[in-house]
Amino acid sequence: MHILVTGAAGFIGSQLSRRFLAEGHTVVGLDILNDYYSVELKKARLAVLLEDSRFRHAHIDLADRDAMARLFAEEKFTHVVNLAAQAGVRYSIENPHSYVDSNLVGFCNVLEGCRHNKVEHLVYASSSSVYGLNTNMPFSVHDNVDHPISLYAASKKANELMAHTYSHLYRLPTTGLRFFTVYGPWGRPDMALFLFTKAILEGKPINVFNEGKMRRDFTYIDDIVEGVVRVTKRTPVPNPDWTGAAPDPCTSPAPYRIYNIGNNNTVELGRFIEVLEDKLGMKAQKNLMPMQPGDVAATYANVDDLIADTGFKPSTTVEEGISNFVDWYRDYYKV
């Protein structure tokens, strides 16, 4: 495969690109290296990828229509994995326009590139946040998700709708992946595990929202990568049993599919912190805080469809995953 991975200097994108390269594929990694979090960490991830001659970095803004069109025309990708997006639920409340530019305009440019250059399969990152006010647990891809509670979530739901339109009109095979709270080595500094680890090691207090009673389906990075790789190799086909009288949200009479990739195991935030304290050998000073706007009380992934179609079920425990992260963090930051 000749693969475009957007967001290749990001947490998931860098690890996924490494996996594709290890399998012998060629990868163009698109990333504008924005400063939403440490550019140095992004550059360090890229440096690892650039050691392989089959990887090329494209420093292009996803929202730059002309540059994106040229890239697609020149490269003739067989597959595209779109992971580039403005991330963060809380940040979307403060900076809504950045989400429109990256997650809507940018995604439209990806869809157009795929359409005009006969890409065989577009895989793109959605998010567990699309479930919004839905409280039917575990979250199923067959559930209705029309009530997002952050602009970030709304932009991800919009991506799913935009992808379906292109699958329907142009028969472009598309697969959306709803990721559930991804963590692990090389992770994002704006996410809880990174923030907690840094603060605890520095003897500073951590902010614990919803007083630690939130529950999350924490999913280890290697499990996410394995799921993405398997799905990328599995081009979706129309569902012959789909009916407009009782529409299934995750399939279509077009070559369109949606999957959850989560651990299928919901863990209370307080327990997550306990495991981290154990691995660090230090206790956290906790500022117990109320729930933040845009947050949901719990996430929990039903992955039956992923298992049925790919034979893969994420299974890394938080004990194993946090231990691996702490080992990486101590080594990377020399602490």
Side-chain angles (χ1 to χ4, degrees):
M1 296 187 289
H2 183 43
I3 310 167
L4 171 65
V5 176
T6 72
F11 176 27
I12 301 172
S14 60
Q15 303 303 295
L16 178 65
S17 296
R18 288 171 71 172
R19 172 66 181 273
F20 280 141
L21 291 168
E23 292 190 354
H25 307 294
T26 54
V27 177
V28 173
L30 181 147
D31 206 297
I32 196 66
L33 299 172
N34 77 17
D35 61 0
Y36 171 66
Y37 65 77
S38 169
V39 174
E40 291 309 308
L41 180 60
K42 294 180 180 182
K43 287 180 177 177
R45 293 177 184 141
L46 264 186
V48 175
L49 295 172
L50 288 165
E51 291 173 2
D52 193 310
S53 61
R54 290 163 302 164
F55 178 85
R56 181 172 79 80
H57 175 216
H59 192 273
I60 294 173
D61 187 337
L62 209 63
D64 186 334
R65 185 193 304 182
D66 292 339
M68 289 292 289
R70 284 194 301 272
L71 179 70
F72 272 90
E74 290 166 3
E75 294 287 345
K76 300 299 181 187
F77 302 108
T78 61
H79 295 72
V80 174
V81 181
N82 183 62
L83 302 174
Q86 179 57 61
V89 169
R90 294 179 194 124
Y91 189 69
S92 69
I93 296 169
E94 303 162 22
N95 296 276
H97 291 290
S98 64
Y99 290 77
V100 173
D101 293 342
S102 295
N103 301 7
L104 300 180
V105 175
F107 190 61
C108 182
N109 291 337
V110 170
L111 286 167
E112 279 290 282
C114 291
R115 168 198 170 193
H116 290 293
N117 295 280
K118 304 295 184 274
V119 168
E120 295 172 23
H121 187 192
L122 166 63
V123 178
Y124 60 96
S126 185
S127 167
S128 61
S129 66
V130 300
Y131 288 100
L133 293 175
N134 183 354
T135 56
N136 183 29
M137 296 283 177
F139 292 153
S140 169
V141 289
H142 302 281
D143 290 340
N144 179 288
V145 289
D146 284 341
H147 297 87
I149 59 172
S150 70
L151 187 65
Y152 171 72
S155 73
K156 290 298 189 178
K157 166 71 184 211
N159 286 171
E160 295 180 2
L161 298 174
M162 294 163 74
H164 183 266
T165 303
Y166 275 67
S167 293
H168 173 76
L169 290 174
Y170 310 114
R171 313 314 287 178
L172 171 66
T174 67
T175 301
L177 301 175
R178 294 174 181 168
F179 297 142
F180 282 69
T181 315
V182 190
Y183 74 103
W186 293 99
R188 272 175 38 202
D190 63 315
M191 293 190 71
L193 181 56
F194 216 109
L195 291 169
F196 291 168
T197 300
K198 185 175 188 292
I200 293 170
L201 287 172
E202 292 176 356
K204 297 177 180 176
I206 62 174
N207 292 328
V208 183
F209 296 110
N210 200 29
E211 300 184 343
K213 296 182 176 65
M214 290 199 297
R215 303 186 70 90
R216 289 290 181 268
D217 199 334
F218 295 101
T219 312
Y220 189 61
I221 181 62
D222 290 3
D223 287 334
I224 291 287
V225 168
E226 180 66 30
V228 176
V229 169
R230 293 201 187 199
V231 165
T232 301
K233 296 174 181 176
R234 190 181 189 282
T235 305
V237 295
N239 177 3
D241 299 320
W242 195 92
T243 168
D248 177 11
C250 72
T251 64
S252 170
Y256 169 88
R257 200 69 172 85
I258 300 288
Y259 294 103
N260 287 333
I261 303 187
N263 212 44
N264 190 224
N265 179 37
T266 187
V267 175
E268 190 168 272
L269 182 59
R271 171 59 186 158
F272 193 74
I273 295 168
E274 287 175 5
V275 175
L276 177 60
E277 290 173 325
D278 180 58
K279 299 302 179 185
L280 289 172
M282 299 173 68
K283 286 292 182 183
Q285 305 169 46
K286 301 170 190 169
N287 290 333
L288 299 182
M289 311 276 285
M291 182 88 87
Q292 294 291 285
D295 270 352
V296 296
T299 65
Y300 180 15
N302 178 322
V303 292
D304 290 350
D305 288 55
L306 181 71
I307 297 167
D309 289 353
T310 70
F312 174 66
K313 180 183 185 299
S315 60
T316 305
T317 64
V318 292
E319 289 79 8
E320 181 184 350
I322 290 175
S323 180
N324 291 343
F325 172 81
V326 169
D327 288 346
W328 170 83
Y329 188 96
R330 286 189 181 279
D331 178 65
Y332 185 81
Y333 290 103
K334 309 303 178 193
V335 293

